[in-house]
Amino acid sequence: MNTENYISKYCQIENNTVFVNGEKLFELKDVGFSEFIKNAYKEFEIEYPKFFKMDNLSKLAFVTSEIILKDVCEKDQENDIAIVFANQSSSLDTDVKYQNSIQDKENYFPSPAVFVYTLPNICVGEISIKHQLKSENAFFVFENFNTKFITNYANQLIKSRKAESVLCGWVEFYQEKYKSFVYLVSKDGLLFHNEKNINTLYNK
Amino acid sequence: MSKNCYIIQTNCVTPLGFDVNSNFEAMLNGDSGIQCHKNSPLLGSSFYAATIDSTQLDVAFSKVECNAEFSRLEKMLILSLQPIISKQKVTPKSVFILSTTKGNITALENKEYPIEGTYLSVLAKKIALYFGFTTEPIVVSNACVSGVLAVAVANRMIQAGVYEEAFLVAGDEVSEFVLSGFNSFQAMSENPCKPYDKDRNGVTLGEATAAVYISSDESKIGKGSIKILGDGSVNDANHISGPSRTGEGLYRSISSALKEAYINPHQIDYLSAHGTATLYNDEMEAIAFSRLGLQNVPINSYKGFFGHTLGASGLLETVFAIECANRNQLIASKGYNENGVSQNINIIHKNAKKEITYFLKTASGFGGCNTAVVFEKIK
């Protein structure tokens, strides 16, 4: 389905590599995710101390989004950018960590700082706070990236004038297995916003 | 030309009953599902929570399904949706939407259990397969707004022409996981929660499931059908675990929903609010409602009856708001005695009759999310 919306910028992070608009811009092999994402954060000159308190899913979603938004969001003015994210494992990576903190009654230490990240939409909140995006947002869970759903949902937000543009993405993280693919849908850009183009980019 | 969406059928499973009617009668009587749990293995200290009796659940479930290979939450979800499915035909244009925050999280307690068993998509597939859906199920997992956001999602996707009808089910369980988490936040009330009251001091957790059937087929409209007029789901962009002081996201969510509905705030006859009974949430809501000119609208929270049922709450409370509209009945906000918010809002303190045509459902949650949906009763 062709629409008059476009994909104006996209970013992918997987296998310790960052691709921006299809171009490999950063790679750091043979390190774990924490080390990799910290270095990606530095490489793209992101300055945001709250980043270091985030869980892995939020770090992944935040850095991928930040690479797109840092040049798009206008400072000191409202940016009507909706956020629509999805993944497979929800917040399971942090859920397991939290469960381990309450499993053993001899060693019981539930922490609110961990518990708050046992919801997948927290990463959307983190990105909204960074850019003061008081905008439409939703988090969905699917077995696989549901291109048809996300494409239609984003188009409907723009069509119904609930958002000017939409930051869409698949942000999956579970125990070092991760993949993020985030793209900005707006009125102008590189590629038509349709299922075919998104599938092509996602599978690259 | 956008299609209109209508809520045609509703159902719910709660500690107060396994259908809408029994729940509504219990609320009219002032009954609450909240009980004190002493010596529970779920938490080191005694606590209040609204839980479903597992024996009663099994008895009710055995009447619809003899296969026992379902978790407790799955049984609650199936029991909620089954009476709706029995009256409707699932087609290739039907979508199944599940709202939940934690799904089968209790499966994590058993380290031998495959991790896939806790996937929300696996839970959704299992329920979708049980009822014969052929389209990919959608899981809405957006903290405490999930249940009402699912209504907005169904409305939007039907308007986009992707589906013709949606079957929604929302559910969450009281578990050691969520009890210990809310307790670690020091967000749990020592007594049954008291939304908007001056003595409120936190949430009481609860468990429930709710189901709704939404269709764009106008030939299905009948007595009690409800039109979805508008929706909005806007983030506060303020704090991941605390509400905005100004209620900005909620204010904008309601504004967006009213704008789409072509409705003015003074036309709203009833507002089913979130009302978790934490100090900050209820205050934030009161500020947002006042800013919108909704302070005179009769408002209640159902948390005093059912506790906070997390991902289920928004849909469960939508089901009750619909029932209020169809009966022209306002239900007293349980636990409320004296205004404890800075704004002079109109909390319902006594059951009363009132003609309800337009009504509003709102919710807010962790991550700064908020959702509002405006409804109209079809005459």
Side-chain angles (χ1 to χ4, degrees), chain A residues 160-171:
Chain A
S160 62
R161 296 172 186 271
K162 286 180 179 157
E164 274 175 29
S165 47
V166 187
L167 190 72
C168 296
W170 179 258
V171 287

Side-chain angles (χ1 to χ4, degrees), chain A residues 98 103 105 118 143 162, chain B residues 102 125 176 180 231 260:
Chain A
Y98 182 78
Q103 186 86 2
K105 295 295 162 285
T118 63
E143 188 177 10
K162 286 180 179 157
Chain B
K102 299 309 320 157
K125 274 251 158 87
E176 182 183 17
S180 64
D231 54 55
E260 187 178 33

Side-chain angles (χ1 to χ4, degrees), chain A residues 96-190:
Chain A
V96 169
K97 284 183 185 139
Y98 182 78
Q99 180 66 35
N100 290 339
S101 77
I102 60 168
Q103 186 86 2
D104 179 4
K105 295 295 162 285
E106 302 297 310
N107 196 12
Y108 183 84
F109 55 98
S111 148
V114 178
F115 183 68
V116 70
Y117 286 101
T118 63
L119 293 164
N121 63 302
I122 298 298
C123 67
V124 173
E126 297 281 17
I127 297 158
S128 302
I129 293 167
K130 170 69 171 65
H131 291 287
Q132 283 302 295
L133 300 177
K134 297 184 179 83
S135 56
E136 276 285 336
N137 65 114
F139 200 101
F140 299 98
V141 175
F142 296 104
E143 188 177 10
N144 296 298
F145 185 43
N146 188 333
T147 319
K148 182 181 176 183
F149 178 87
I150 299 287
T151 308
N152 279 287
Y153 193 82
N155 283 340
Q156 187 62 26
L157 282 176
I158 294 173
K159 191 180 161 199
S160 62
R161 296 172 186 271
K162 286 180 179 157
E164 274 175 29
S165 47
V166 187
L167 190 72
C168 296
W170 179 258
V171 287
E172 166 64 19
F173 190 101
Y174 180 63
Q175 294 189 343
E176 296 287 312
K177 254 189 85 186
Y178 66 91
K179 175 176 174 125
S180 66
F181 168 49
V182 176
Y183 54 97
L184 185 67
V185 180
S186 61
K187 282 288 164 198
D188 46 28
L190 304 163

Side-chain angles (χ1 to χ4, degrees), chain A residues 61-92:
Chain A
F62 180 81
V63 169
T64 320
S65 303
E66 198 57 23
I67 289 169
I68 295 175
L69 293 178
K70 67 187 176 112
D71 301 327
V72 172
C73 282
E74 306 268 352
K75 269 204 173 134
D76 308 318
Q77 74 174 56
E78 290 228 350
N79 294 282
D80 188 8
I81 303 171
I83 304 179
V84 181
F85 281 0
N87 75 4
Q88 182 188 33
S89 302
S90 179
S91 53
L92 196 57

Side-chain angles (χ1 to χ4, degrees), chain B residues 196-215:
Chain B
Y196 308 107
D197 189 79
K198 73 172 179 45
D199 293 329
R200 73 185 185 280
N201 72 347
V203 299
T204 299
L205 291 170
E207 60 188 7
T209 55
V212 156
Y213 170 63
I214 297 175
S215 176

